[in-house]
């Protein structure tokens, strides 16, 4: 199953459906984010970038926005879309 199909199935399982009451659509309620925990430097890689197009339209018909893709490593974290980053949280180094 392609990643896009998997993300759409996850989105519809996690987020409430967006409904129309005859006059307007229901309010958006929440956001869908991905957290990739891995070894390596605190930079977004192809591992994180593959989730952006997969999430991009998967939330349609749900009441959730698609959100950022975060990478968390032993050295800290970074947001793929926002480019925000920090030292905490971080993974515990594995031996």
């Amino acid at each position: 199953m392609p990643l896009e199909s998997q993300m759409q199935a996850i989105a519809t399982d996690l987020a409430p459906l967006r409904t129309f009451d005859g006059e307007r659509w229901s309010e958006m309620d929440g956001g869908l984010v991905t957290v990739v925990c891995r070894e390596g430097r605190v930079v977004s890689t192809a591992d994180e970038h593959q989730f952006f197009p997969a999430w991009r339209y998967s939330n349609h018909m749900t009441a959730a926005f698609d959100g950022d893709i975060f990478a968390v490593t032993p050295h800290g974290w970074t947001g793929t879309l926002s480019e925000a980053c920090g030292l905490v949280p971080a993974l515990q180094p594995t031996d």
Side-chain angles (χ1 to χ4, degrees):
M1 177 184 294
L3 186 58
E4 293 84 0
S5 299
Q6 293 174 19
M7 295 291 105
Q8 187 169 24
I10 291 168
T12 53
D13 283 347
L14 292 175
L17 290 178
R18 194 146 192 228
T19 57
F20 188 73
D21 67 7
E23 293 183 22
R24 63 182 176 181
W25 286 98
S26 57
E27 296 291 322
M28 298 300 276
D29 184 24
L32 301 165
V33 300
T34 302
V35 178
V36 177
C37 298
R38 61 170 172 74
E39 297 291 327
R41 296 179 35 194
V42 185
V43 295
S44 294
T45 66
D47 292 336
E48 291 78 47
H49 284 280
Q50 71 179 331
F51 286 98
F52 178 69
W55 269 132
R56 185 65 185 106
Y57 301 106
S58 65
N59 64 323
H60 286 196
M61 302 309 295
T62 73
F65 291 105
D66 58 323
D68 207 341
I69 299 97
F70 297 96
V72 182
T73 76
H75 307 286
W77 67 274
T78 188
T80 302
L81 301 176
S82 65
E83 297 182 354
C85 60
L87 298 175
V88 177
L91 299 176
Q92 294 295 320
T94 57
D95 294 327

